[in-house]
Amino acid sequence: MGPSRNGGVPSLRRKSARADEPRDGRRAGWNVSGAGVRARPQRPASGSEANDSECVRSGSGGGGAVVWVGRGGIRSPAPLAPGRYNSKEFFTDNLWGTLPCSWQEALDGLNPPQLATLLLGMPGEGEVVRYRSVWPLTLLALKSTAYALAFTRMPGFQTPSEFLENPSQSSRLTAPFRKHVRPKKQHEIRRLGELVKKLSDLTGCTQVVDVGSGQGHLSRFMSLGLGLKVKSIEGNPRLVERAQRLDQELLQALEKEEKKNPQVAQTGPRHSPYHVVQWVDPTALCGELLLPLDSSQCGSARLLLTGLHACGDLSVALLRHFCCCPEVVALASVGCCYMKLSDPGGYPLSQWVAGLPGYELPYRLREGACHALEEYAKRLQKAGPGLRTHCYRAALEMVIRRARPELRRPGVQGIPRVHELKIEEYVQRGLQRVGLDPHLPLNLATLRAHQAQENRVVAFFSLALLLAPLVETLILLDRLLYLQEQGFHAELLPIFSPELSPRNLVLVATKMPLGQAFSALETEDS
């Protein structure tokens, strides 16, 4: 799939959604048709940007948009460039000073709820959006363009009705399937399991393979709840042992329930998932993954591969097995942990994205794409003291650099009850966690000055977070194109509530056209 023959911009079509619709739009299913894809905002007239004295341009030309996805790759203003994405370096790299003066004036002094409303575009319930000043055009362009180019992630339902009665228990799952499963996972296994069941019926699959199955919650629901034949593949033997124990526990609970209520008894035998301890190499085909459970089906098996938040390269491995193996006829993959993708190998996959100048996505951008925008907006609206962790961690980075300049952005294990600590207490505990002397002399005046900039640190992190959905869009669009370049049928569907499960887009692919049936996959079952 290369450039179109006539040299024009290939078509990008998003079904039942417009590029200018609000973020609470109802769909995110995209069809990419034609010889390639080029998605970019309408470029403003040169005079519209010239009115802003602090104009930040992308590219070497004179009138580029603030964020650009197209033949010029994905680009952003200098302060949000890949090397400056991490708020841990807010003080060490003077990140606030890298912002244009007009951006500083617009953002300085905004409290967290105002950041959620004005910058992230997520006002509180019943809140009226009011700007206290005229924002610079470049900042508004960044905000509008990031929204317009990102896949809509809102599914076709509002707050999941399954949790209206009890926020901890899905009303759409019976008690045995809820046991040992958190609400988030209850929502995920039900929604993805029901989609897989529909997809299996549409494509005539004989077996589902759940890759990276963990404790087997999804496999268990698909096999014992939906009647599918499931092979469950997991590389950690301890997780597999626990999954098998939970299988037996669930079978016993279902038998007891059927004795109490014979009218709900299942006709026919129940089949637990078949668990296999197996690491899947993303660079090679996995023979175990392709073996049918029924030996009589060798040569005639039709497999459906699925993975619920398959980490990093594991999602890529699913795509490659789907493309290379004739017995794999369908795919339903929800990815996560984009920062763990191999480079090269995990991104880019499609020829089209690989041909873009500036297609690279450094670690920090991919890590940023894993942040939960909706969840963070809720934190901002609540303005809880936990937000000060950003500022405290940035101050700790300053102390670490002075003590050991070569030690940069070390991982700091969670420090409990940060909001109850003074900044110097947090720094001392953080030093100990990274192997430095917690009794190093501290400049308390400097730490207090850092703490006074808490809202600026939160504002910068929120600004960088604007790009998170856009980066995720590029990664998922690359996977979609990779499948379509090889002649397969694929769509991205939002199936989870993003408030519960931020990585909520499932990549669905088949080797036969489904047409309008794709739309039915994301609907709620009655």
Side-chain angles (χ1 to χ4, degrees):
M1 186 180 289
S4 58
R5 292 181 181 177
N6 60 9
V9 177
S11 63
L12 175 69
R13 180 164 57 89
R14 184 168 63 167
K15 297 169 60 178
S16 68
R18 303 188 313 277
D20 60 346
E21 74 181 4
R23 285 183 62 80
D24 60 351
R26 289 180 293 278
R27 274 191 58 93
W30 290 70
N31 263 348
V32 185
S33 57
V37 178
R38 190 174 184 176
R40 57 181 173 87
Q42 181 68 34
R43 293 181 65 175
S46 58
S48 64
E49 283 192 342
N51 292 332
D52 190 347
S53 60
E54 300 290 344
C55 178
V56 178
R57 302 188 186 279
S58 61
S60 58
V66 175
V67 174
W68 188 273
V69 176
R71 296 306 302 177
I74 177 170
R75 303 175 186 172
S76 62
L80 298 183
R84 299 186 181 277
Y85 191 83
N86 201 319
S87 61
K88 296 174 185 176
E89 296 168 320
F90 185 85
F91 299 120
T92 59
D93 291 11
N94 186 27
L95 293 183
W96 186 257
T98 66
L99 296 177
C101 293
S102 60
W103 291 28
Q104 294 180 26
E105 293 170 4
L107 299 175
D108 202 9
L110 292 182
N111 59 37
Q114 290 171 327
L115 288 170
T117 299
L118 303 180
L119 185 60
L120 299 186
M122 298 183 179
E125 186 175 353
E127 181 181 0
V128 177
V129 179
R130 289 191 179 92
Y131 287 82
R132 66 176 190 175
S133 63
V134 178
W135 279 24
L137 291 177
T138 46
L139 180 54
L140 291 172
L142 173 68
K143 174 183 172 181
S144 298
T145 305
Y147 288 169
L149 292 183
F151 284 133
T152 302
R153 300 194 302 123
M154 293 304 296
F157 55 86
Q158 301 298 320
T159 302
S161 58
E162 60 193 303
F163 295 108
L164 292 180
E165 297 177 4
N166 187 327
S168 299
Q169 297 181 359
S170 169
S171 61
R172 306 292 296 272
L173 292 175
T174 58
F177 287 100
R178 294 195 301 257
K179 192 173 183 181
H180 305 298
V181 185
R182 295 179 179 178
K184 173 179 180 291
K185 184 68 75 173
Q186 293 175 29
H187 176 63
E188 292 169 345
I189 64 173
R190 183 186 68 81
R191 289 285 292 157
L192 183 57
E194 290 174 354
L195 181 146
V196 167
K197 170 64 174 170
K198 294 175 187 175
L199 186 60
S200 176
D201 292 343
L202 287 169
T203 55
C205 290
T206 58
Q207 178 179 311
V208 175
V209 183
D210 181 11
V211 183
S213 55
Q215 298 182 55
H217 295 309
L218 175 62
S219 296
R220 202 170 300 113
F221 175 64
M222 291 191 297
S223 59
L224 296 175
L226 300 176
L228 293 169
K229 187 177 292 186
V230 180
K231 177 185 282 190
S232 178
I233 294 182
E234 169 57 47
N236 187 327
R238 292 185 179 180
L239 292 179
V240 172
E241 289 178 9
R242 175 162 173 75
Q244 291 170 330
R245 290 198 302 269
L246 292 177
D247 288 351
Q248 295 306 310
E249 185 177 320
L250 177 59
L251 279 170
Q252 294 172 4
L254 292 174
E255 290 173 359
K256 289 181 180 179
E257 192 175 80
E258 289 176 356
K259 289 180 181 178
K260 292 180 181 179
N261 302 293
Q263 66 273 18
V264 300
Q266 176 174 311
T267 57
R270 294 185 185 274
H271 297 285
S272 297
Y274 179 77
H275 295 278
V276 177
V277 179
Q278 176 78 50
W279 285 102
V280 177
D281 183 351
T283 64
L285 295 181
C286 174
E288 178 59 50
L289 186 149
L290 302 171
L291 286 177
L293 293 174
D294 186 348
S295 58
S296 65
Q297 291 182 342
C298 285
S300 62
R302 296 175 61 85
L303 307 181
L304 188 159
L305 302 186
T306 190
L308 175 53
H309 295 143
C311 185
D313 287 337
L314 192 54
S315 291
V316 176
L318 293 183
L319 268 65
R320 291 195 170 121
H321 279 79
F322 172 81
C323 293
C324 298
C325 306
E327 58 266 59
V328 180
V329 299
L331 170 76
S333 171
V334 184
C336 74
C337 302
Y338 304 125
M339 66 283 195
K340 296 183 180 179
L341 290 171
S342 297
D343 185 15
Y347 168 89
L349 299 174
S350 68
Q351 295 177 15
W352 189 85
V353 171
L356 292 176
Y359 68 83
E360 297 88 353
L361 289 178
Y363 176 91
R364 291 186 202 171
L365 277 177
R366 288 184 277 121
E367 192 274 335
C370 296
H371 286 288
L373 189 61
E374 291 83 5
E375 179 184 337
Y376 191 73
K378 283 187 175 181
R379 290 179 61 193
L380 291 174
Q381 288 291 356
K382 294 177 180 178
L387 290 171
R388 70 179 48 147
T389 303
H390 296 304
C391 181
Y392 280 16
R393 179 62 184 86
L396 171 63
E397 188 71 16
M398 280 285 287
V399 178
I400 292 172
R401 297 280 182 93
R402 287 173 181 166
R404 188 183 296 176
E406 73 279 6
L407 185 59
R408 293 172 174 264
R409 301 179 301 278
V412 179
Q413 294 181 353
I415 298 176
R417 309 187 74 84
V418 172
H419 62 283
E420 296 180 359
L421 299 177
K422 296 179 180 179
I423 190 169
E424 60 269 25
E425 294 173 333
Y426 175 91
V427 168
Q428 289 168 342
R429 296 186 186 187
L431 289 172
Q432 187 172 19
R433 278 169 166 73
V434 299
L436 296 177
D437 182 2
H439 302 295
L440 286 173
L442 302 177
N443 187 325
L444 294 182
T446 300
L447 290 178
R448 296 281 184 270
H450 289 335
Q451 188 170 5
Q453 299 186 63
E454 180 179 318
N455 277 0
R456 287 184 175 182
V457 181
V458 174
F460 188 90
F461 183 80
S462 301
L463 184 61
L465 203 58
L466 272 178
L467 296 183
L470 186 57
V471 175
E472 181 178 35
T473 291
L474 183 58
I475 293 171
L476 296 180
L477 185 61
D478 173 57
R479 296 177 180 182
L480 185 76
L481 287 170
Y482 170 70
L483 295 173
Q484 292 191 346
E485 284 173 350
Q486 300 179 65
F488 302 123
H489 308 272
E491 279 207 27
L492 283 160
L493 304 173
I495 61 167
F496 308 140
S497 168
E499 289 84 3
L500 283 173
S501 182
R503 307 280 70 74
N504 73 332
L505 287 164
V506 57
L507 179 57
V508 180
T510 63
K511 293 180 178 177
M512 56 180 282
L514 292 184
Q516 293 300 315
F518 265 121
S519 299
L521 294 174
E522 64 172 320
T523 58
E524 283 271 43
D525 288 345
S526 59

